[in-house]
Amino acid sequence: MSDLGFATDAASRTSADRVFEALQDAIVRGDIAPGSRIGETELAERFGTSRGPLREALRRLESRRLVERTPHVGVRIAALDYATLIELYYLREALEGMAAHLAALHMTADEVISLKTLLAAHEQDEALQADTAYFQQEGDLDFHYRIIQGSHNGALSQLLIGELYHRIRMYRYQFSAYANRPQKAFAEHQRIVEAIEARDGDFAEMLMRRHISSARQNIERRLKETS
Amino acid sequence: MSDLGFATDAASRTSADRVFEALQDAIVRGDIAPGSRIGETELAERFGTSRGPLREALRRLESRRLVERTPHVGVRIAALDYATLIELYYLREALEGMAAHLAALHMTADEVISLKTLLAAHEQDEALQADTAYFQQEGDLDFHYRIIQGSHNGALSQLLIGELYHRIRMYRYQFSAYANRPQKAFAEHQRIVEAIEARDGDFAEMLMRRHISSARQNIERRLKETS
DNA sequence: TATAATCAAATTGTCGACAATAGCTATTGA
DNA sequence: TCAATAGCTATTGTCGACAATTTGATTATA
């Protein structure tokens, strides 16, 4: 998937760009333990470059809050905690609510058809695999990506997909069991698409906000049960 | 004002951090023309450092979209256009609406009092200076900062204050005459504070969204008139 | 004259070395 | 035995030099 807003021409990709993407992926997937501290020399060797480009990559990852920096001490891989996850859900509720609203107003007919096709595919797959979490999660992201892109608001897309979603995915990879119930989420997806198809911006926004809000409440509920 | 999320200990500030802040300030204030291209060597000399730290600073500014980078070509100061400004207002509407909602729920009594004091000071100053745009703009930002901080949502504050607001300020400095009418905006501010004081999250959110939305519409209206 | 290929200059990308700082260890004193 | 200090080690911060690439200018050719 394209990482909006940065040049990714395969040909003229610079070493700093490559290590940025590779390191980001390693962090998001959990190949490097959250909260751990790794030296620049070690990282540079691991990614086959020198400390110069590596430090440039670290600065960008710092901006995305995937690493935390302390001057003269070093960088630490971002730690994951539930409080921050909850905060991110409020951000998603606001931003994706707006995205759904704008998508209802600005999506092209083709984009709506493509979105419905995606949902039909999900329905097929769900019918077969009942409650498989992984597909649902990736499929869920796919669905949300489409809505965001459908807003036709570049700043909004860049913010959500280019910066926020990496942190979301990091939590998904490493806090495995927190997804909303697949069938419930799927039904909510369907209603959102209906509202978009009806070009009802306010309703689409409301449905999207409730969709994300209920996911957040689901996490908060589990959090109380297990503590 | 603090630039949330990054170490700013005056003592151990690194050269890369200093040039980052200085260069960001120069860009936001328009000391360097938007859309212009400046070489790394020239920038490094201007800020009294070498290209290493400068490039780290540029990477962070790239993440904030204050500069645009083309591999092997160089960086260009972000260009300003009305389409992007409008997009940013939709972001503000969504995010600051959420901030107002959360502020109504989570602001401490002291914070509410302090916010009311700020507004009283604005009223005084407005009574004296009628329609002075500059103070109003800075005062306006002050007001919005307080609400955002009052949300007590770290991720939201970091996103708005730490990343988005620099672009907003850049537009304010350089697209001078686009502010909402001061007295109308002030009245809206008062209503928002009333809703926060009444702990009415939904209403505070609605008022904030209308406040920002009408500012956006005001810009769009002027845009049509002059074109 | 227009177009394409070639070359040169300037700029960016990368690297290794050195300087500066923080944190740890050992030593000294009470 | 504990605390404080001094020194050492490892890591980060900074710099200058070199390599790679782009861009434009120039020249040759149709």
Side-chain angles (χ1 to χ4, degrees):
Chain A
M1 93 197 50
S2 80
D3 195 333
L4 290 174
F6 295 100
T8 49
D9 295 8
S12 64
R13 245 178 25 183
T14 180
S15 173
D17 290 332
R18 267 183 288 116
V19 62
F20 169 74
E21 288 171 27
L23 184 49
Q24 172 172 260
D25 205 55
I27 294 172
V28 167
R29 303 179 94 93
D31 295 345
I32 306 177
S36 64
R37 212 188 132 294
I38 304 192
E40 293 180 357
T41 311
E42 185 184 343
L43 278 177
E45 279 181 20
R46 175 170 177 170
F47 291 101
T49 185
S50 69
R51 282 178 56 222
L54 175 84
R55 283 171 64 88
E56 292 181 25
L58 287 176
R59 288 297 194 173
R60 291 171 66 186
L61 292 169
E62 181 189 9
S63 290
R64 293 196 174 179
R65 306 193 188 270
L66 292 174
V67 306
E68 289 166 12
R69 181 178 210 81
T70 313
H72 300 286
V73 174
V75 298
R76 176 178 297 279
I77 308 300
L80 303 177
D81 61 281
Y82 277 104
T84 304
L85 179 61
I86 298 300
E87 288 189 351
L88 289 175
Y89 265 84
Y90 281 104
L91 286 190
R92 285 190 64 191
E93 182 181 331
L95 290 170
E96 297 200 38
M98 176 60 78
H101 192 130
L102 295 175
L105 303 182
H106 301 318
M107 257 190 165
T108 67
D110 282 352
E111 285 174 327
V112 174
I113 291 172
S114 167
L115 185 60
K116 289 173 71 174
T117 307
L118 177 72
L119 227 56
H122 285 185
E123 192 168 25
Q124 287 293 329
D125 193 283
E126 274 208 313
L128 261 65
Q129 307 201 20
D131 261 22
T132 311
Y134 180 76
F135 171 83
Q136 169 58 21
Q137 285 201 2
E138 289 299 315
D140 178 61
L141 284 184
D142 251 11
F143 174 79
H144 286 272
Y145 281 134
R146 302 275 185 112
I147 307 271
I148 294 164
Q149 302 272 27
S151 74
H152 290 235
N153 181 315
L156 180 57
S157 301
Q158 287 166 356
L159 190 62
L160 270 168
I161 298 181
E163 299 183 25
L164 230 51
Y165 257 58
H166 300 289
R167 290 171 83 186
I168 309 275
R169 290 204 309 140
M170 187 173 173
Y171 276 97
R172 290 216 172 185
Y173 271 110
Q174 300 183 40
F175 285 12
S176 51
Y178 80 83
N180 218 347
R181 289 193 198 87
Q183 64 274 16
K184 179 167 170 276
F186 176 73
E188 290 170 355
H189 285 186
Q190 278 187 311
R191 288 210 202 99
I192 291 169
V193 171
E194 286 167 14
I196 288 174
E197 199 174 10
R199 302 300 183 182
D200 189 336
D202 287 323
F203 194 44
E205 173 164 4
M206 194 192 95
L207 290 174
M208 178 62 89
R209 285 188 65 155
R210 293 175 67 123
H211 175 56
I212 294 172
S213 174
S214 77
R216 187 199 75 238
Q217 289 168 23
N218 197 35
I219 299 170
E220 291 178 321
R221 200 178 317 118
R222 293 200 195 185
L223 209 54
K224 279 189 180 174
E225 285 173 4
T226 56
S227 67
Chain B
M1 91 197 54
S2 80
D3 197 332
L4 292 175
F6 294 101
T8 49
D9 294 10
S12 63
R13 247 181 18 188
T14 180
S15 173
D17 290 332
R18 267 184 288 114
V19 63
F20 169 74
E21 288 172 26
L23 183 50
Q24 173 172 259
D25 205 54
I27 293 172
V28 167
R29 303 178 94 92
D31 295 345
I32 306 178
S36 64
R37 210 187 134 293
I38 304 191
E40 292 179 356
T41 311
E42 186 184 341
L43 277 178
E45 280 181 20
R46 176 169 176 169
F47 291 100
T49 185
S50 69
R51 282 178 56 224
L54 175 85
R55 284 171 62 88
E56 292 181 23
L58 287 176
R59 289 298 195 173
R60 291 171 64 185
L61 292 169
E62 180 189 9
S63 290
R64 292 194 174 180
R65 310 202 183 262
L66 291 175
V67 305
E68 289 166 12
R69 179 178 211 82
T70 314
H72 298 286
V73 174
V75 299
R76 177 177 296 281
I77 309 299
L80 303 177
D81 62 281
Y82 277 103
T84 303
L85 179 60
I86 298 300
E87 288 189 351
L88 289 175
Y89 265 83
Y90 281 105
L91 286 190
R92 283 190 66 191
E93 183 182 331
L95 291 170
E96 297 200 37
M98 176 61 78
H101 192 130
L102 295 175
L105 302 183
H106 301 318
M107 257 189 166
T108 66
D110 281 353
E111 284 174 327
V112 175
I113 291 172
S114 166
L115 185 60
K116 289 173 73 173
T117 306
L118 177 73
L119 226 57
H122 286 184
E123 192 168 25
Q124 287 295 327
D125 193 282
E126 273 206 313
L128 262 65
Q129 306 201 20
D131 262 21
T132 311
Y134 180 76
F135 171 82
Q136 169 57 21
Q137 286 202 1
E138 290 298 314
D140 178 61
L141 283 185
D142 251 12
F143 175 78
H144 286 271
Y145 281 134
R146 302 275 184 112
I147 307 272
I148 293 163
Q149 301 272 25
S151 75
H152 290 237
N153 181 315
L156 180 58
S157 302
Q158 287 166 357
L159 189 62
L160 270 168
I161 298 182
E163 298 182 28
L164 231 52
Y165 257 58
H166 300 290
R167 291 171 84 187
I168 309 274
R169 291 202 310 139
M170 186 174 175
Y171 276 98
R172 291 215 171 186
Y173 271 110
Q174 300 183 41
F175 286 12
S176 50
Y178 79 86
N180 216 347
R181 288 191 198 87
Q183 64 274 18
K184 179 166 169 277
F186 176 74
E188 290 170 356
H189 284 185
Q190 278 188 312
R191 286 208 204 100
I192 290 168
V193 171
E194 285 167 15
I196 288 173
E197 199 174 10
R199 303 300 182 181
D200 189 336
D202 287 322
F203 194 44
E205 172 164 7
M206 195 193 96
L207 289 174
M208 178 63 87
R209 287 188 65 156
R210 293 175 67 123
H211 175 55
I212 294 173
S213 174
S214 77
R216 188 199 73 239
Q217 290 169 23
N218 196 37
I219 299 170
E220 290 177 321
R221 201 178 316 120
R222 294 198 195 186
L223 209 54
K224 279 189 179 173
E225 285 173 5
T226 56
S227 67

